[in-house]
Amino acid sequence: MSLNNKIACPLDCYDACEAVFENGKIKGNKKHYPTNGNMCANFISCIKQEYLKTPIYNNAEITLNEALNVLVEKLKEVKPENSLFYKGSGNLGVMQSSLKSFFAKYGSILTQGSLCDGGGGKGIKATRGEVVNPPLEKLLQADVIIVWGRNFSVTSSHMYELVKNKTFITIDPIKTHIAKNSELHLALNPKTDYELALLLTRFAYMQDLEDEEFCKKFETSEEFFELAKSRPILSYEEATGVSLEDINRFFEIIENKKVALVLGLGIQKYYEGANITRCIDSFAAFLGLHNPLKHCGVWYLSNSKYGYEEQFNSSTKHQKIDVSEVDFSKYELVFIQGANPVVSAPNTKRVIEGLKSSFVIYLGININDTCEYADLIIPACSFLQKDDVRLSYGHEYKAISNKVQEPLSETISEYNLTKYLFDTFKFDGLKKEKEILDYYIKYQPKAYEFEKFEFIDDIEVEHLYEKKLKEQYYFTTAKKKKNLNSSFKIDNYLYLNPQTGYKDGDIVTLSSKYGNAKFEVKTTFDVKENCVLCYAGNKNANYLTPYQSDESSHSAMYQEVLVNIELS
């Protein structure tokens, strides 16, 4: 395997790029689809970043053997149920799941739910059984692509490159890059996505655009349509902030066209995120977007391991803790793999205070904000120094990553650390590395076919706009080019519409019922007057966010927040 020169981008994004390593340089792989020889800004930044080379214990450099001895000693000192295993998604690949299998056997508390896509995935699973995207060729067949709550040209640059000449409709409170390149932008109010979906359903029926064949096949659409027409049309217009004129324009654009719907994470970052997503998916089904003979499907963050058998056993006897509710202070030992909870987890102040009172072990490829609170830092091998397979949650193509460099002497791969711990604690059940890699490389799961579709027939949402005071703002977040979560070029500004009265350079304090933080203001008309915007990775944003879980998926709800602004 190491004789090959293919490498896969390890970053947490939809595209799962593949490149080649030649003469000490990394180049795009023209033979890999959909990378097609191109490398995005984040992959290039990943190559250029400074990697950890030496373990650190109590702020002093030590050897890898010494670090492993400290790790084992600490694991033997604590009761397993007083330890926590916390894994991020900053370094993707099937082999990255190996360590979780050790900590499950050891008896640590594990997390459940997601900081990312959990609510939306739960909603889609409720409607159609599995969270699986259509084949990528279906997206290429679309005449019109509806981009709902996703900055598609930024978060999926390779997929976007394949379809950039299509007609786009964007639904998003923020005028994103893709919105500026769209035929129509519906700038709805935050957390009114489900109401817009119901309004669009009403208009689809009035214009005779519903897919009667699909609806009849699954026999659950009548209750959904009753839900859609249970309110006056004008009440939807008032709630969403989207004019009926724009709704008519929406249907003018899609009529007699092949349509795809690309859903982002923004739609489900709320308490009722699962049902909000389910409502949008039900509208898509009513319109026939799931019918492959007529349209081109609905795309979300797909289950990349659908159809594969899990190669690592992570079953545990302990009850798991919701990832959004983790209180690090409750654990004597916290093991963090490839995560940066100080920036990425809800309620930063609570996270920092919790880490200060625990023995924290961090395993990763570079220094991040969380390392400041780590007692022991163990450097992981870079993606160039280990074999792996990268499955995509954007499309069905995989990327192979081969070891093209020898690991540094004081670093260790996730799998080798897992094997070391299995051997040390005399655990069994860990498969050989080559066996696991060969399985993922050679096996090709069957395509998913609809066996059910359950239209949503009831939804209760606590409206942010009904609780919002006149002087309050909706808290929104978005992805930005040359930045990925808390990595690379971080933008710590707060973005406001100039009509709010604030000016570039103003220092303001944002406060919510969960906390407060200071920001420097930048103004832009891309943000609605009733919103504030922070880009992903902003180091102050999560001082404002709730550490409770959503309604049904054990996941975070970052945008379930109203904020006040005071000039500092």
Side-chain angles (χ1 to χ4, degrees), residues 13 44 110 115 158 213 304 337 367 371 407 466 476 513 558:
C13 73
I44 294 169
L110 308 180
L115 296 180
H158 292 289
E213 178 187 354
S304 61
Q337 178 191 343
I367 293 288
C371 290
E466 289 181 349
T476 63
K513 64 180 182 179
Y558 290 106

Side-chain angles (χ1 to χ4, degrees), residues 196-407:
L196 181 59
L198 295 175
L199 177 59
L200 291 170
T201 301
R202 291 279 293 278
F203 270 70
Y205 178 81
M206 289 188 292
Q207 300 191 30
D208 200 27
L209 292 177
E210 78 275 18
D211 188 335
E212 293 181 1
E213 178 187 354
F214 188 92
C215 293
K216 185 177 180 180
K217 179 178 179 181
F218 294 101
E219 298 180 344
T220 57
S221 63
E222 287 187 15
E223 293 85 353
F224 172 63
F225 181 64
E226 289 299 318
L227 176 65
K229 68 177 187 178
S230 63
R231 280 173 48 183
I233 284 179
L234 289 177
S235 73
Y236 287 124
E237 182 181 32
E238 181 181 0
T240 63
V242 176
S243 70
L244 299 183
E245 180 182 357
D246 278 346
I247 298 297
N248 278 317
R249 177 69 183 133
F250 175 97
F251 284 100
E252 287 175 5
I253 294 170
I254 70 168
E255 190 169 8
N256 299 320
K257 298 291 194 304
K258 280 184 167 287
V259 180
L261 173 58
V262 176
L263 279 177
L265 306 181
I267 60 166
Q268 49 90 64
K269 293 181 179 180
Y270 301 102
Y271 179 71
E272 305 90 351
N275 278 335
I276 291 171
T277 308
R278 191 178 174 197
C279 200
I280 296 171
D281 205 30
S282 294
F283 155 67
F286 191 81
L287 196 61
L289 301 193
H290 289 303
N291 186 338
L293 300 178
K294 295 181 178 180
H295 290 292
C296 303
V298 177
W299 303 69
Y300 184 61
L301 198 155
S302 180
N303 175 10
S304 61
K305 288 187 177 180
Y306 170 75
Y308 291 96
E309 293 181 4
E310 182 54 64
Q311 299 299 295
F312 299 106
N313 182 5
S314 298
S315 58
T316 176
K317 60 184 178 182
H318 295 299
Q319 184 175 354
K320 296 180 179 180
I321 183 74
D322 289 5
V323 67
S324 53
E325 297 183 356
V326 168
D327 182 353
F328 291 102
S329 69
K330 289 184 175 180
Y331 305 96
E332 290 181 48
L333 183 147
V334 174
F335 190 101
I336 298 174
Q337 178 191 343
N340 191 9
V342 164
V343 173
S344 300
N347 208 272
T348 298
K349 182 178 179 180
R350 183 173 183 264
V351 170
I352 290 173
E353 292 304 316
L355 292 174
K356 284 179 179 178
S357 61
S358 304
F359 185 88
V360 178
I361 302 162
Y362 169 79
L363 174 76
I365 60 173
N366 52 24
I367 293 288
N368 63 24
D369 306 83
T370 299
C371 290
E372 181 179 344
Y373 307 96
D375 300 278
L376 175 64
I377 298 172
I378 303 175
C381 299
S382 85
F383 70 101
L384 300 173
Q385 299 163 357
K386 55 196 173 191
D387 294 318
D388 215 332
V389 178
R390 172 78 161 85
L391 306 176
S392 170
Y393 52 75
H395 51 72
E396 70 270 30
Y397 298 97
K398 64 184 82 173
I400 310 303
S401 201
N402 296 286
K403 185 171 76 172
V404 294
Q405 291 179 348
E406 286 302 315

Side-chain angles (χ1 to χ4, degrees), residues 163-186:
V163 296
K164 63 183 179 182
N165 294 322
K166 306 287 185 180
T167 297
F168 290 94
I169 297 172
T170 294
I171 301 172
D172 201 299
I174 308 302
K175 186 176 283 188
T176 58
H177 178 270
I178 188 69
K180 293 175 183 178
N181 291 278
S182 294
E183 184 76 14
L184 176 66
H185 173 211
L186 302 181

Side-chain angles (χ1 to χ4, degrees), residues 132-200:
V132 182
N133 287 338
L136 186 53
E137 65 185 50
K138 292 299 296 180
L139 190 66
L140 273 60
Q141 293 171 7
D143 302 308
V144 179
I145 299 176
I146 303 166
V147 182
W148 198 323
R150 179 167 159 188
N151 198 358
F152 183 51
S153 57
V154 170
T155 61
S156 310
S157 59
H158 292 289
M159 291 173 65
Y160 174 71
E161 190 66 22
L162 299 173
V163 296
K164 63 183 179 182
N165 294 322
K166 306 287 185 180
T167 297
F168 290 94
I169 297 172
T170 294
I171 301 172
D172 201 299
I174 308 302
K175 186 176 283 188
T176 58
H177 178 270
I178 188 69
K180 293 175 183 178
N181 291 278
S182 294
E183 184 76 14
L184 176 66
H185 173 211
L186 302 181
L188 79 170
N189 289 324
K191 207 184 175 181
T192 62
D193 303 80
Y194 86 95
E195 292 173 287
L196 181 59
L198 295 175
L199 177 59
L200 291 170

